[in-house]
Amino acid sequence: MNERQPVRRPGGRSARVGEQVHRAVTDLIGERGYGNFTVGEVAARAGVADSSVYRRWGNLETLLTDVALTRLNTRSPMPDTGSLEGDLRTYAAQVAREITGPDGPAVLRLAVALSNDGQRGPRAGDALRTERMRQLQSMLDRATERGESAPDAPTVLDHVLAPMYIRVLFGMVPLTPEYVDGLVDRLL
Amino acid sequence: MNERQPVRRPGGRSARVGEQVHRAVTDLIGERGYGNFTVGEVAARAGVADSSVYRRWGNLETLLTDVALTRLNTRSPMPDTGSLEGDLRTYAAQVAREITGPDGPAVLRLAVALSNDGQRGPRAGDALRTERMRQLQSMLDRATERGESAPDAPTVLDHVLAPMYIRVLFGMVPLTPEYVDGLVDRLL
């Protein structure tokens, strides 16, 4: 992202609307569960015009995906601890905390539901997941630039994220710190 | 299960009803998608009384789970090739073929939907998944008895099954034979 800064007023109205809408969605999810509300209800709760929501997200599915993947992945920034091991341990612990938190399993199930299943066309979740994998790869590239030997992002997905996701999806919880650290140890 | 054999007539009517009902569910899934039919419609299609279905499965959720997990896991018997490597390669290839097949992603999503999510009580999928993990552990125990050094079933879940499941759930397909073999190589 350093090379290509998006043209957007820093902070300001856009960021504020984004926060208000995300918070409205999170509140409505807590009260009614996923999907049991409309774009109009989100807008009213956020105190913004329906058109602001439609202009930015297009439809409810895209908005839910944005909230789900923000919560799953980007609420916690990618760590930059100065070592690959530190980065991976911090990242894995953050993801474990997020997906086992109060709405964690529901949000993870939503992310699955919003993903391309290989039989339909691309869905809203795909672009955001691709972006998050790119950010993970950047974290790994920093390690390589420091002279460390780093795995690639799909390998981290397969051997650190996927086991945690599947255990949460199958209800095989909690994910203990020893278990999460063990996944990172095995990868390194 | 060896200590406590269920009392059931071998083969015979019970097995036949099971096959007919499973086939009816598979047909209805193909025609209408998951969940868009009733127990009565399954029974009619299978040529059995509604009460036979209710007596054996209790409700549609349990029946769908039984079909889903049978297809995901037990359609192909656990391999017994004489070596751990052979067993794991065969098993991984079978699972990959099953979950990327025509109804594979839909069945996998159903299995997730029917699993305990760590916040509700046990669900229909949990007991069957537990049984399948027990079968996998038996395959690994055979390797140990032959003097091979074998991982345990949860490790196979984490590093062979979970990566394939998550890639299918996220639409990151196909699973190439090289990819699937690579997961087994890494585990061994």
Side-chain angles (χ1 to χ4, degrees):
Chain A
M1 288 293 249
N2 289 331
E3 310 80 8
R4 296 192 298 167
Q5 287 289 352
V7 181
R8 181 173 285 182
R9 286 152 296 181
R13 189 177 139 67
S14 174
R16 209 163 53 241
V17 168
E19 275 170 35
Q20 286 163 340
V21 169
H22 272 230
R23 196 172 315 119
V25 169
T26 304
D27 289 350
L28 285 166
I29 287 166
E31 293 168 22
R32 307 191 196 171
Y34 267 102
N36 296 319
F37 46 84
T38 65
V39 166
E41 290 171 315
V42 171
R45 176 74 63 112
V48 304
D50 290 16
S51 58
S52 298
V53 177
Y54 282 115
R55 198 178 319 120
R56 182 135 159 196
W57 286 277
N59 57 43
L60 186 61
E61 179 179 298
T62 307
L63 172 57
L64 287 175
T65 306
D66 188 19
V67 173
L69 292 182
T70 300
R71 286 189 45 132
L72 270 181
N73 289 323
T74 58
R75 174 185 272 184
S76 319
M78 278 286 169
D80 189 4
T81 64
S83 79
L84 176 64
E85 181 181 342
D87 285 357
L88 284 174
R89 285 197 197 290
T90 304
Y91 178 57
Q94 278 173 358
V95 171
R97 201 160 46 235
E98 185 70 17
I99 63 179
T100 57
D103 292 334
V107 172
L108 186 56
R109 281 158 195 265
L110 181 74
V112 166
L114 292 172
S115 291
N116 178 318
D117 64 4
Q119 301 189 320
R120 289 172 296 180
R123 300 199 62 197
D126 300 340
L128 288 161
R129 194 186 57 254
T130 301
E131 166 60 15
R132 190 56 178 171
M133 289 300 281
R134 199 193 59 74
Q135 293 175 15
L136 174 59
Q137 187 61 55
S138 295
M139 183 181 93
L140 300 167
D141 288 346
R142 283 202 306 274
T144 306
E145 283 157 21
R146 285 191 303 261
E148 296 187 82
S149 164
D152 62 8
T155 303
V156 176
L157 174 68
D158 282 345
H159 298 286
V160 178
L161 302 179
M164 295 196 292
Y165 289 167
I166 283 295
R167 282 176 177 248
V168 169
L169 288 171
F170 284 166
M172 301 164 72
V173 287
L175 306 177
T176 65
E178 294 70 32
Y179 170 74
V180 176
D181 271 336
L183 293 174
V184 174
D185 288 342
R186 191 179 181 98
L187 181 68
L188 297 173
Chain B
M1 287 292 250
N2 288 331
E3 309 79 8
R4 295 191 299 168
Q5 287 289 352
V7 181
R8 179 175 285 183
R9 287 151 296 179
R13 189 177 139 67
S14 173
R16 208 163 56 243
V17 168
E19 274 170 36
Q20 287 164 340
V21 169
H22 272 230
R23 195 172 315 118
V25 169
T26 304
D27 289 350
L28 285 166
I29 287 167
E31 292 168 21
R32 305 190 195 172
Y34 266 103
N36 295 319
F37 46 83
T38 64
V39 166
E41 289 170 316
V42 171
R45 177 74 63 111
V48 303
D50 291 16
S51 59
S52 298
V53 177
Y54 283 114
R55 197 178 318 117
R56 180 134 158 198
W57 287 277
N59 57 43
L60 187 60
E61 179 179 299
T62 307
L63 172 58
L64 288 174
T65 306
D66 188 19
V67 173
L69 293 180
T70 299
R71 285 191 44 133
L72 271 180
N73 290 323
T74 57
R75 174 186 272 184
S76 320
M78 279 285 169
D80 188 4
T81 65
S83 78
L84 176 64
E85 182 181 341
D87 284 357
L88 283 174
R89 285 197 197 290
T90 304
Y91 178 56
Q94 277 173 358
V95 171
R97 202 160 46 237
E98 184 71 18
I99 63 179
T100 58
D103 292 333
V107 172
L108 186 54
R109 281 159 195 267
L110 182 74
V112 166
L114 292 172
S115 291
N116 177 320
D117 65 4
Q119 301 187 322
R120 290 173 294 182
R123 300 199 63 195
D126 299 341
L128 288 160
R129 195 186 54 255
T130 301
E131 166 59 16
R132 189 56 177 171
M133 289 301 283
R134 197 194 60 75
Q135 292 175 18
L136 174 58
Q137 187 62 54
S138 295
M139 184 182 92
L140 299 168
D141 289 346
R142 282 201 306 274
T144 305
E145 284 157 21
R146 286 191 301 262
E148 296 188 82
S149 164
D152 61 8
T155 303
V156 176
L157 173 68
D158 282 345
H159 297 286
V160 178
L161 302 178
M164 296 196 290
Y165 289 167
I166 283 296
R167 282 176 177 248
V168 169
L169 289 171
F170 284 166
M172 302 164 72
V173 287
L175 305 177
T176 66
E178 294 71 30
Y179 170 75
V180 176
D181 271 336
L183 293 175
V184 174
D185 289 341
R186 190 179 181 98
L187 181 67
L188 298 172

